[in-house]
Amino acid sequence: MVKLLVIILIIAVLGILSYPTLMDHLHKRELDRSMYQARELYIAAFDMATEGAAKFDVNRAWPGDYEVTALADYCTKLIQHGYVKPADLQNILSGPGATCTVTNGPGGVTLRGKSALKIYKVRRADPSNTIFAASSNYVYNTPLNPATAPFGDNGFVVVRKSGDAGVYRKQQATPAGFENNLTKFQTEPGVGKLPGAGEANVVGDGTTVLTGPL
């Protein structure tokens, strides 16, 4: 009986000690999955913008080259032109603690719930290090909030206009994570810069993000 209790105690201690490592692996897996999903959305956006430029079709462009400011309106264009399917989009926009329901109707796409990704108003004229998408827990040049879904302060995801994507630690949410060097922060493989933003140390997303469901 005593030996059994000792074994149980050892197992319990090992479980407690391994819990942080296990959670780190779980968060990393979820962040990686979100990055791949964001890349899928980027590929659809890139294909539409590239084809639009080649055909001089203003209805196929980067998010910031439209007058629309809502994520649902931009998603409507992606779906209507066949660059992504509603079911795939719903999977792409959902993540831990953030479920986004996508409905495609005669009037366009309706988004309900919370999107795990946010899309920035990238324009054709913006440089390659401009942020195209980020996980919704990230606000530009702002420390992560542990209460924000998805991922809290366990890390965040960014995809740039170049197509490069990365998973970042919470310390890298601001230039402080890049030796307080703004150039490193804004240049790949750093986080990047906001659409239309100069070299100023901008804090917050401002109006550079397509409005999505809350």
Side-chain angles (χ1 to χ4, degrees):
M1 184 67 179
V2 174
K3 289 183 178 180
L4 179 61
L5 290 175
V6 171
I7 292 172
I8 293 174
L9 180 60
I10 291 173
I11 293 174
V13 170
L14 290 175
I16 293 172
L17 293 175
S18 64
Y19 181 77
T21 302
L22 178 64
M23 291 306 296
D24 285 343
H25 284 304
L26 179 61
H27 294 316
K28 181 63 167 59
R29 186 180 67 179
E30 291 174 340
L31 283 159
D32 285 342
R33 180 174 178 270
S34 183
M35 181 184 69
Y36 294 133
Q37 290 175 171
R39 277 276 294 154
E40 287 183 37
L41 186 59
Y42 164 81
I43 291 171
F46 175 83
D47 287 346
M48 183 167 72
T50 302
E51 188 170 353
K55 296 181 178 180
F56 300 99
D57 184 355
V58 296
N59 289 313
R60 306 182 190 212
W62 289 103
D65 289 325
Y66 295 112
E67 292 185 2
V68 300
T69 59
L71 178 59
D73 293 335
Y74 179 63
C75 289
T76 295
K77 295 183 180 295
L78 287 171
I79 289 176
Q80 287 180 344
H81 292 302
Y83 293 98
V84 67
K85 296 179 181 178
D88 293 334
L89 182 64
Q90 180 167 299
N91 183 58
I92 288 170
L93 295 180
S94 296
T99 301
C100 185
T101 302
V102 177
T103 305
N104 186 30
V109 170
T110 300
L111 303 179
R112 293 186 176 88
K114 177 177 175 57
S115 176
L117 296 174
K118 54 184 175 182
I119 307 303
Y120 289 78
K121 299 176 185 177
V122 176
R123 304 169 306 174
R124 182 180 179 183
D126 285 325
S128 62
N129 61 326
T130 303
I131 299 176
F132 166 76
S135 50
S136 293
N137 65 320
Y138 182 60
V139 177
Y140 190 74
N141 194 7
T142 304
L144 297 183
N145 182 345
T148 304
F151 312 127
D153 63 352
N154 293 304
F156 62 101
V157 171
V158 168
V159 180
R160 291 171 289 277
K161 188 186 176 186
S162 64
D164 288 338
V167 172
Y168 295 87
R169 303 184 301 274
K170 65 179 181 180
Q171 294 88 347
Q172 296 175 306
T174 68
F178 295 86
E179 302 172 350
N180 283 313
N181 187 316
L182 184 61
T183 300
K184 288 184 177 180
F185 174 68
Q186 292 185 329
T187 306
E188 301 171 19
V191 171
K193 63 196 306 183
L194 294 177
E199 295 302 320
N201 195 356
V202 180
V203 177
D205 293 327
T207 59
T208 63
V209 176
L210 294 175
T211 57
L214 301 177

PDB file of all heavy atoms in Angstrom, residues 124-154:
ATOM      1  N   ARG A 124      -1.769  47.928 -52.853  1.00  0.00           N
ATOM      2  CA  ARG A 124      -0.812  47.506 -53.880  1.00  0.00           C
ATOM      3  C   ARG A 124       0.507  48.270 -53.741  1.00  0.00           C
ATOM      4  O   ARG A 124       1.586  47.731 -53.992  1.00  0.00           O
ATOM      5  CB  ARG A 124      -1.429  47.748 -55.265  1.00  0.00           C
ATOM      6  CG  ARG A 124      -0.551  47.303 -56.427  1.00  0.00           C
ATOM      7  CD  ARG A 124      -1.231  47.567 -57.745  1.00  0.00           C
ATOM      8  NE  ARG A 124      -0.388  47.169 -58.872  1.00  0.00           N
ATOM      9  CZ  ARG A 124      -0.727  47.348 -60.142  1.00  0.00           C
ATOM     10  NH1 ARG A 124      -1.892  47.913 -60.447  1.00  0.00           N
ATOM     11  NH2 ARG A 124       0.093  46.969 -61.112  1.00  0.00           N
ATOM     12  N   ALA A 125       0.436  49.534 -53.319  1.00  0.00           N
ATOM     13  CA  ALA A 125       1.630  50.371 -53.232  1.00  0.00           C
ATOM     14  C   ALA A 125       2.459  50.120 -51.978  1.00  0.00           C
ATOM     15  O   ALA A 125       3.584  50.610 -51.873  1.00  0.00           O
ATOM     16  CB  ALA A 125       1.219  51.847 -53.283  1.00  0.00           C
ATOM     17  N   ASP A 126       1.943  49.361 -51.024  1.00  0.00           N
ATOM     18  CA  ASP A 126       2.663  49.121 -49.773  1.00  0.00           C
ATOM     19  C   ASP A 126       3.850  48.188 -50.000  1.00  0.00           C
ATOM     20  O   ASP A 126       3.793  47.284 -50.843  1.00  0.00           O
ATOM     21  CB  ASP A 126       1.728  48.512 -48.725  1.00  0.00           C
ATOM     22  CG  ASP A 126       0.770  49.527 -48.134  1.00  0.00           C
ATOM     23  OD1 ASP A 126       1.179  50.690 -47.968  1.00  0.00           O
ATOM     24  OD2 ASP A 126      -0.388  49.157 -47.851  1.00  0.00           O
ATOM     25  N   PRO A 127       4.931  48.371 -49.232  1.00  0.00           N
ATOM     26  CA  PRO A 127       6.110  47.503 -49.375  1.00  0.00           C
ATOM     27  C   PRO A 127       5.852  46.094 -48.869  1.00  0.00           C
ATOM     28  O   PRO A 127       4.845  45.823 -48.199  1.00  0.00           O
ATOM     29  CB  PRO A 127       7.172  48.222 -48.530  1.00  0.00           C
ATOM     30  CG  PRO A 127       6.389  48.995 -47.522  1.00  0.00           C
ATOM     31  CD  PRO A 127       5.148  49.431 -48.231  1.00  0.00           C
ATOM     32  N   SER A 128       6.793  45.199 -49.148  1.00  0.00           N
ATOM     33  CA  SER A 128       6.617  43.778 -48.835  1.00  0.00           C
ATOM     34  C   SER A 128       6.562  43.488 -47.340  1.00  0.00           C
ATOM     35  O   SER A 128       6.018  42.466 -46.925  1.00  0.00           O
ATOM     36  CB  SER A 128       7.736  42.957 -49.473  1.00  0.00           C
ATOM     37  OG  SER A 128       9.004  43.343 -48.945  1.00  0.00           O
ATOM     38  N   ASN A 129       7.124  44.375 -46.510  1.00  0.00           N
ATOM     39  CA  ASN A 129       7.123  44.121 -45.067  1.00  0.00           C
ATOM     40  C   ASN A 129       5.872  44.653 -44.372  1.00  0.00           C
ATOM     41  O   ASN A 129       5.787  44.655 -43.144  1.00  0.00           O
ATOM     42  CB  ASN A 129       8.371  44.708 -44.405  1.00  0.00           C
ATOM     43  CG  ASN A 129       8.480  46.211 -44.560  1.00  0.00           C
ATOM     44  OD1 ASN A 129       8.081  46.772 -45.581  1.00  0.00           O
ATOM     45  ND2 ASN A 129       9.028  46.876 -43.558  1.00  0.00           N
ATOM     46  N   THR A 130       4.887  45.085 -45.155  1.00  0.00           N
ATOM     47  CA  THR A 130       3.608  45.519 -44.581  1.00  0.00           C
ATOM     48  C   THR A 130       2.839  44.305 -44.063  1.00  0.00           C
ATOM     49  O   THR A 130       2.804  43.255 -44.703  1.00  0.00           O
ATOM     50  CB  THR A 130       2.758  46.237 -45.642  1.00  0.00           C
ATOM     51  OG1 THR A 130       3.496  47.339 -46.166  1.00  0.00           O
ATOM     52  CG2 THR A 130       1.452  46.746 -45.049  1.00  0.00           C
ATOM     53  N   ILE A 131       2.221  44.440 -42.904  1.00  0.00           N
ATOM     54  CA  ILE A 131       1.460  43.331 -42.321  1.00  0.00           C
ATOM     55  C   ILE A 131       0.163  43.129 -43.099  1.00  0.00           C
ATOM     56  O   ILE A 131      -0.622  44.058 -43.289  1.00  0.00           O
ATOM     57  CB  ILE A 131       1.124  43.591 -40.844  1.00  0.00           C
ATOM     58  CG1 ILE A 131       2.408  43.748 -40.028  1.00  0.00           C
ATOM     59  CG2 ILE A 131       0.293  42.449 -40.269  1.00  0.00           C
ATOM     60  CD1 ILE A 131       2.168  44.103 -38.579  1.00  0.00           C
ATOM     61  N   PHE A 132      -0.052  41.891 -43.544  1.00  0.00           N
ATOM     62  CA  PHE A 132      -1.309  41.532 -44.210  1.00  0.00           C
ATOM     63  C   PHE A 132      -2.321  40.999 -43.199  1.00  0.00           C
ATOM     64  O   PHE A 132      -3.490  41.357 -43.222  1.00  0.00           O
ATOM     65  CB  PHE A 132      -1.063  40.485 -45.302  1.00  0.00           C
ATOM     66  CG  PHE A 132      -2.320  39.828 -45.788  1.00  0.00           C
ATOM     67  CD1 PHE A 132      -3.177  40.500 -46.652  1.00  0.00           C
ATOM     68  CD2 PHE A 132      -2.674  38.551 -45.367  1.00  0.00           C
ATOM     69  CE1 PHE A 132      -4.355  39.908 -47.091  1.00  0.00           C
ATOM     70  CE2 PHE A 132      -3.851  37.956 -45.803  1.00  0.00           C
ATOM     71  CZ  PHE A 132      -4.694  38.636 -46.673  1.00  0.00           C
ATOM     72  N   ALA A 133      -1.864  40.116 -42.319  1.00  0.00           N
ATOM     73  CA  ALA A 133      -2.763  39.514 -41.326  1.00  0.00           C
ATOM     74  C   ALA A 133      -2.017  39.249 -40.033  1.00  0.00           C
ATOM     75  O   ALA A 133      -0.790  39.091 -40.021  1.00  0.00           O
ATOM     76  CB  ALA A 133      -3.356  38.216 -41.856  1.00  0.00           C
ATOM     77  N   ALA A 134      -2.770  39.195 -38.942  1.00  0.00           N
ATOM     78  CA  ALA A 134      -2.201  38.859 -37.636  1.00  0.00           C
ATOM     79  C   ALA A 134      -3.272  38.171 -36.810  1.00  0.00           C
ATOM     80  O   ALA A 134      -4.472  38.341 -37.056  1.00  0.00           O
ATOM     81  CB  ALA A 134      -1.707  40.117 -36.916  1.00  0.00           C
ATOM     82  N   SER A 135      -2.844  37.378 -35.845  1.00  0.00           N
ATOM     83  CA  SER A 135      -3.821  36.799 -34.926  1.00  0.00           C
ATOM     84  C   SER A 135      -4.462  37.937 -34.133  1.00  0.00           C
ATOM     85  O   SER A 135      -3.827  38.952 -33.835  1.00  0.00           O
ATOM     86  CB  SER A 135      -3.155  35.786 -33.989  1.00  0.00           C
ATOM     87  OG  SER A 135      -1.986  36.322 -33.377  1.00  0.00           O
ATOM     88  N   SER A 136      -5.732  37.765 -33.809  1.00  0.00           N
ATOM     89  CA  SER A 136      -6.519  38.868 -33.248  1.00  0.00           C
ATOM     90  C   SER A 136      -6.103  39.299 -31.853  1.00  0.00           C
ATOM     91  O   SER A 136      -6.580  40.322 -31.354  1.00  0.00           O
ATOM     92  CB  SER A 136      -8.010  38.491 -33.249  1.00  0.00           C
ATOM     93  OG  SER A 136      -8.483  38.384 -34.575  1.00  0.00           O
ATOM     94  N   ASN A 137      -5.238  38.538 -31.214  1.00  0.00           N
ATOM     95  CA  ASN A 137      -4.759  38.963 -29.895  1.00  0.00           C
ATOM     96  C   ASN A 137      -3.657  40.003 -29.998  1.00  0.00           C
ATOM     97  O   ASN A 137      -3.240  40.571 -28.982  1.00  0.00           O
ATOM     98  CB  ASN A 137      -4.243  37.761 -29.093  1.00  0.00           C
ATOM     99  CG  ASN A 137      -3.018  37.114 -29.730  1.00  0.00           C
ATOM    100  OD1 ASN A 137      -2.943  36.989 -30.946  1.00  0.00           O
ATOM    101  ND2 ASN A 137      -2.080  36.664 -28.914  1.00  0.00           N
ATOM    102  N   TYR A 138      -3.191  40.272 -31.216  1.00  0.00           N
ATOM    103  CA  TYR A 138      -2.087  41.215 -31.381  1.00  0.00           C
ATOM    104  C   TYR A 138      -2.580  42.580 -31.841  1.00  0.00           C
ATOM    105  O   TYR A 138      -3.329  42.698 -32.807  1.00  0.00           O
ATOM    106  CB  TYR A 138      -1.065  40.692 -32.389  1.00  0.00           C
ATOM    107  CG  TYR A 138       0.125  41.622 -32.552  1.00  0.00           C
ATOM    108  CD1 TYR A 138       0.933  41.922 -31.462  1.00  0.00           C
ATOM    109  CD2 TYR A 138       0.425  42.214 -33.765  1.00  0.00           C
ATOM    110  CE1 TYR A 138       2.014  42.785 -31.577  1.00  0.00           C
ATOM    111  CE2 TYR A 138       1.509  43.070 -33.899  1.00  0.00           C
ATOM    112  CZ  TYR A 138       2.303  43.357 -32.806  1.00  0.00           C
ATOM    113  OH  TYR A 138       3.368  44.205 -32.921  1.00  0.00           O
ATOM    114  N   VAL A 139      -2.145  43.598 -31.124  1.00  0.00           N
ATOM    115  CA  VAL A 139      -2.359  44.997 -31.516  1.00  0.00           C
ATOM    116  C   VAL A 139      -0.980  45.586 -31.766  1.00  0.00           C
ATOM    117  O   VAL A 139      -0.083  45.444 -30.925  1.00  0.00           O
ATOM    118  CB  VAL A 139      -3.106  45.786 -30.417  1.00  0.00           C
ATOM    119  CG1 VAL A 139      -3.251  47.250 -30.824  1.00  0.00           C
ATOM    120  CG2 VAL A 139      -4.470  45.161 -30.152  1.00  0.00           C
ATOM    121  N   TYR A 140      -0.802  46.235 -32.863  1.00  0.00           N
ATOM    122  CA  TYR A 140       0.523  46.658 -33.311  1.00  0.00           C
ATOM    123  C   TYR A 140       1.288  47.452 -32.247  1.00  0.00           C
ATOM    124  O   TYR A 140       0.746  48.391 -31.648  1.00  0.00           O
ATOM    125  CB  TYR A 140       0.400  47.496 -34.574  1.00  0.00           C
ATOM    126  CG  TYR A 140       1.723  47.781 -35.249  1.00  0.00           C
ATOM    127  CD1 TYR A 140       2.380  46.780 -35.959  1.00  0.00           C
ATOM    128  CD2 TYR A 140       2.326  49.019 -35.151  1.00  0.00           C
ATOM    129  CE1 TYR A 140       3.604  47.023 -36.567  1.00  0.00           C
ATOM    130  CE2 TYR A 140       3.542  49.281 -35.757  1.00  0.00           C
ATOM    131  CZ  TYR A 140       4.177  48.269 -36.471  1.00  0.00           C
ATOM    132  OH  TYR A 140       5.386  48.521 -37.064  1.00  0.00           O
ATOM    133  N   ASN A 141       2.535  47.040 -32.018  1.00  0.00           N
ATOM    134  CA  ASN A 141       3.433  47.732 -31.094  1.00  0.00           C
ATOM    135  C   ASN A 141       2.806  47.916 -29.708  1.00  0.00           C
ATOM    136  O   ASN A 141       2.948  48.956 -29.069  1.00  0.00           O
ATOM    137  CB  ASN A 141       3.849  49.095 -31.665  1.00  0.00           C
ATOM    138  CG  ASN A 141       5.031  49.691 -30.925  1.00  0.00           C
ATOM    139  OD1 ASN A 141       5.633  49.060 -30.069  1.00  0.00           O
ATOM    140  ND2 ASN A 141       5.357  50.935 -31.258  1.00  0.00           N
ATOM    141  N   THR A 142       2.115  46.880 -29.244  1.00  0.00           N
ATOM    142  CA  THR A 142       1.430  46.922 -27.952  1.00  0.00           C
ATOM    143  C   THR A 142       1.638  45.590 -27.235  1.00  0.00           C
ATOM    144  O   THR A 142       1.510  44.535 -27.862  1.00  0.00           O
ATOM    145  CB  THR A 142      -0.089  47.150 -28.147  1.00  0.00           C
ATOM    146  OG1 THR A 142      -0.296  48.344 -28.911  1.00  0.00           O
ATOM    147  CG2 THR A 142      -0.802  47.271 -26.808  1.00  0.00           C
ATOM    148  N   PRO A 143       1.978  45.585 -25.946  1.00  0.00           N
ATOM    149  CA  PRO A 143       2.144  44.317 -25.215  1.00  0.00           C
ATOM    150  C   PRO A 143       0.890  43.462 -25.298  1.00  0.00           C
ATOM    151  O   PRO A 143      -0.234  43.981 -25.305  1.00  0.00           O
ATOM    152  CB  PRO A 143       2.424  44.773 -23.780  1.00  0.00           C
ATOM    153  CG  PRO A 143       3.017  46.141 -23.935  1.00  0.00           C
ATOM    154  CD  PRO A 143       2.291  46.760 -25.097  1.00  0.00           C
ATOM    155  N   LEU A 144       1.067  42.153 -25.369  1.00  0.00           N
ATOM    156  CA  LEU A 144      -0.070  41.241 -25.466  1.00  0.00           C
ATOM    157  C   LEU A 144      -0.897  41.247 -24.182  1.00  0.00           C
ATOM    158  O   LEU A 144      -0.347  41.341 -23.084  1.00  0.00           O
ATOM    159  CB  LEU A 144       0.416  39.821 -25.753  1.00  0.00           C
ATOM    160  CG  LEU A 144       1.147  39.581 -27.077  1.00  0.00           C
ATOM    161  CD1 LEU A 144       1.489  38.096 -27.213  1.00  0.00           C
ATOM    162  CD2 LEU A 144       0.325  40.054 -28.263  1.00  0.00           C
ATOM    163  N   ASN A 145      -2.198  41.115 -24.361  1.00  0.00           N
ATOM    164  CA  ASN A 145      -3.130  41.048 -23.239  1.00  0.00           C
ATOM    165  C   ASN A 145      -3.456  39.575 -22.979  1.00  0.00           C
ATOM    166  O   ASN A 145      -3.978  38.893 -23.857  1.00  0.00           O
ATOM    167  CB  ASN A 145      -4.408  41.821 -23.579  1.00  0.00           C
ATOM    168  CG  ASN A 145      -5.405  41.837 -22.436  1.00  0.00           C
ATOM    169  OD1 ASN A 145      -5.296  41.062 -21.484  1.00  0.00           O
ATOM    170  ND2 ASN A 145      -6.379  42.719 -22.516  1.00  0.00           N
ATOM    171  N   PRO A 146      -3.158  39.048 -21.784  1.00  0.00           N
ATOM    172  CA  PRO A 146      -3.397  37.620 -21.517  1.00  0.00           C
ATOM    173  C   PRO A 146      -4.861  37.212 -21.596  1.00  0.00           C
ATOM    174  O   PRO A 146      -5.165  36.021 -21.709  1.00  0.00           O
ATOM    175  CB  PRO A 146      -2.843  37.428 -20.099  1.00  0.00           C
ATOM    176  CG  PRO A 146      -2.834  38.788 -19.493  1.00  0.00           C
ATOM    177  CD  PRO A 146      -2.562  39.740 -20.620  1.00  0.00           C
ATOM    178  N   ALA A 147      -5.769  38.188 -21.567  1.00  0.00           N
ATOM    179  CA  ALA A 147      -7.197  37.873 -21.583  1.00  0.00           C
ATOM    180  C   ALA A 147      -7.794  37.898 -22.989  1.00  0.00           C
ATOM    181  O   ALA A 147      -8.994  37.702 -23.159  1.00  0.00           O
ATOM    182  CB  ALA A 147      -7.958  38.863 -20.692  1.00  0.00           C
ATOM    183  N   THR A 148      -6.981  38.138 -24.006  1.00  0.00           N
ATOM    184  CA  THR A 148      -7.490  38.291 -25.365  1.00  0.00           C
ATOM    185  C   THR A 148      -7.348  37.003 -26.161  1.00  0.00           C
ATOM    186  O   THR A 148      -6.275  36.412 -26.211  1.00  0.00           O
ATOM    187  CB  THR A 148      -6.747  39.421 -26.100  1.00  0.00           C
ATOM    188  OG1 THR A 148      -6.850  40.619 -25.349  1.00  0.00           O
ATOM    189  CG2 THR A 148      -7.345  39.651 -27.481  1.00  0.00           C
ATOM    190  N   ALA A 149      -8.443  36.571 -26.785  1.00  0.00           N
ATOM    191  CA  ALA A 149      -8.429  35.374 -27.636  1.00  0.00           C
ATOM    192  C   ALA A 149      -8.068  35.762 -29.061  1.00  0.00           C
ATOM    193  O   ALA A 149      -8.392  36.871 -29.501  1.00  0.00           O
ATOM    194  CB  ALA A 149      -9.795  34.703 -27.607  1.00  0.00           C
ATOM    195  N   PRO A 150      -7.425  34.868 -29.829  1.00  0.00           N
ATOM    196  CA  PRO A 150      -6.870  33.609 -29.326  1.00  0.00           C
ATOM    197  C   PRO A 150      -5.459  33.804 -28.756  1.00  0.00           C
ATOM    198  O   PRO A 150      -4.842  34.834 -29.001  1.00  0.00           O
ATOM    199  CB  PRO A 150      -6.803  32.763 -30.606  1.00  0.00           C
ATOM    200  CG  PRO A 150      -6.516  33.776 -31.680  1.00  0.00           C
ATOM    201  CD  PRO A 150      -7.265  35.024 -31.273  1.00  0.00           C
ATOM    202  N   PHE A 151      -4.993  32.879 -28.005  1.00  0.00           N
ATOM    203  CA  PHE A 151      -3.604  32.772 -27.540  1.00  0.00           C
ATOM    204  C   PHE A 151      -3.225  33.657 -26.365  1.00  0.00           C
ATOM    205  O   PHE A 151      -2.186  33.437 -25.757  1.00  0.00           O
ATOM    206  CB  PHE A 151      -2.610  33.034 -28.685  1.00  0.00           C
ATOM    207  CG  PHE A 151      -2.916  32.286 -29.942  1.00  0.00           C
ATOM    208  CD1 PHE A 151      -3.026  32.937 -31.150  1.00  0.00           C
ATOM    209  CD2 PHE A 151      -3.109  30.914 -29.902  1.00  0.00           C
ATOM    210  CE1 PHE A 151      -3.318  32.228 -32.312  1.00  0.00           C
ATOM    211  CE2 PHE A 151      -3.403  30.189 -31.058  1.00  0.00           C
ATOM    212  CZ  PHE A 151      -3.504  30.871 -32.266  1.00  0.00           C
ATOM    213  N   GLY A 152      -4.014  34.669 -26.006  1.00  0.00           N
ATOM    214  CA  GLY A 152      -3.653  35.512 -24.877  1.00  0.00           C
ATOM    215  C   GLY A 152      -2.279  36.117 -25.064  1.00  0.00           C
ATOM    216  O   GLY A 152      -1.998  36.735 -26.086  1.00  0.00           O
ATOM    217  N   ASP A 153      -1.401  35.919 -24.077  1.00  0.00           N
ATOM    218  CA  ASP A 153      -0.034  36.424 -24.197  1.00  0.00           C
ATOM    219  C   ASP A 153       0.965  35.287 -24.435  1.00  0.00           C
ATOM    220  O   ASP A 153       2.153  35.413 -24.140  1.00  0.00           O
ATOM    221  CB  ASP A 153       0.357  37.238 -22.968  1.00  0.00           C
ATOM    222  CG  ASP A 153       0.375  36.418 -21.680  1.00  0.00           C
ATOM    223  OD1 ASP A 153      -0.069  35.248 -21.725  1.00  0.00           O
ATOM    224  OD2 ASP A 153       0.827  36.936 -20.649  1.00  0.00           O
ATOM    225  N   ASN A 154       0.470  34.175 -24.986  1.00  0.00           N
ATOM    226  CA  ASN A 154       1.341  33.034 -25.266  1.00  0.00           C
ATOM    227  C   ASN A 154       2.093  33.170 -26.586  1.00  0.00           C
ATOM    228  O   ASN A 154       2.925  32.323 -26.919  1.00  0.00           O
ATOM    229  CB  ASN A 154       0.522  31.738 -25.289  1.00  0.00           C
ATOM    230  CG  ASN A 154      -0.025  31.383 -23.919  1.00  0.00           C
ATOM    231  OD1 ASN A 154       0.727  31.267 -22.964  1.00  0.00           O
ATOM    232  ND2 ASN A 154      -1.337  31.245 -23.830  1.00  0.00           N
TER     233      ASN A 154
END
